[in-house]
Amino acid sequence: MTRASRPRDEGGRHPGDLTARVPSPVPPTGATAASARARARAAVEEAWGAAGERPREEDLIDLSLVVSEMVTNAIRHGGGLTGFEVTVERDGVRLAVSDRSDAVPDGAYGVGGFPTTHGGNGYGWPLINRLAEEVTVRHRPRGGKTISARVPPRPALAPDPSGPARPRGGPDGVPSSSEDAAAGRA
């Protein structure tokens, strides 16, 4: 028995698939949270665009916040960023950030409550825990760790082809005299 297969593009994806992987096993010297945000956003926009869709802007902002916090934590508290990977799938964007430290961050598996005092901990892990799903910490065999998380973007609503709705009438909803005249009710 033979199975028919769907055609694939140069990257090995089927048309309409939203899987794209943007690896960076060893980031260039000077890698920053800003460069990681730009790479994550570009990967999402490319993958979704290839499928004829686009993600909601507010979800891209959430993704940017999670990327920023994960990469900044690796740089500040993890001995430096050693890897960054973005995998775009239909159910979400999977991020993997690697650093040199074996320590599991305080709050890595928290519920997302914001700190009431600043005893050295900030808002990073609470934001990650609120905006991401499936947060995991995996120790690497040669030292260091990889923290992974999934951020679930949703498709943007299609714009109304007739354009944005115009409010009608004054503040009390009563049609203005020009609207009455246009409607033939003068």
Side-chain angles (χ1 to χ4, degrees):
M1 167 162 88
T2 350
R3 292 173 63 181
S5 63
R6 296 185 296 163
R8 295 177 182 256
D9 66 10
E10 302 81 42
R13 294 180 298 193
H14 297 293
D17 282 354
L18 285 180
T19 303
R21 190 173 217 181
V22 181
S24 177
V26 180
T29 302
T32 64
S35 62
R37 282 192 310 267
R39 291 184 56 215
R41 186 178 183 110
V44 171
E45 289 174 343
E46 178 184 334
W48 283 56
E53 296 182 24
R54 61 186 175 84
R56 294 169 49 150
E57 184 63 28
E58 57 263 41
D59 292 342
L60 288 173
I61 291 168
D62 289 352
L63 174 67
S64 293
L65 285 168
V66 173
V67 168
S68 286
E69 292 302 332
M70 289 176 70
V71 169
T72 299
N73 285 344
I75 293 168
R76 285 190 182 162
H77 309 293
L81 183 66
T82 61
F84 176 73
E85 187 173 286
V86 179
T87 304
V88 183
E89 300 174 341
R90 168 107 12 228
D91 70 337
V93 180
R94 295 187 189 280
L95 304 169
V97 175
S98 300
D99 64 36
R100 290 181 176 84
S101 173
D102 291 326
V104 175
D106 290 340
Y109 298 110
V111 295
F114 288 114
T116 55
T117 62
H118 287 281
N121 293 330
Y123 292 96
W125 276 108
L127 278 173
I128 292 168
N129 287 323
R130 284 179 177 209
L131 300 176
E133 301 171 346
E134 301 171 19
V135 177
T136 61
V137 179
R138 189 181 78 245
H139 288 93
R140 295 193 331 257
R142 295 184 183 211
K145 67 182 169 300
T146 298
I147 299 177
S148 301
R150 183 173 69 86
V151 180
R154 300 161 289 179
L157 300 175
D160 184 352
S162 64
R166 268 186 2 179
R168 303 206 61 147
D172 56 3
V174 176
S176 66
S177 57
S178 61
E179 290 172 334
D180 281 341
R185 294 188 300 240

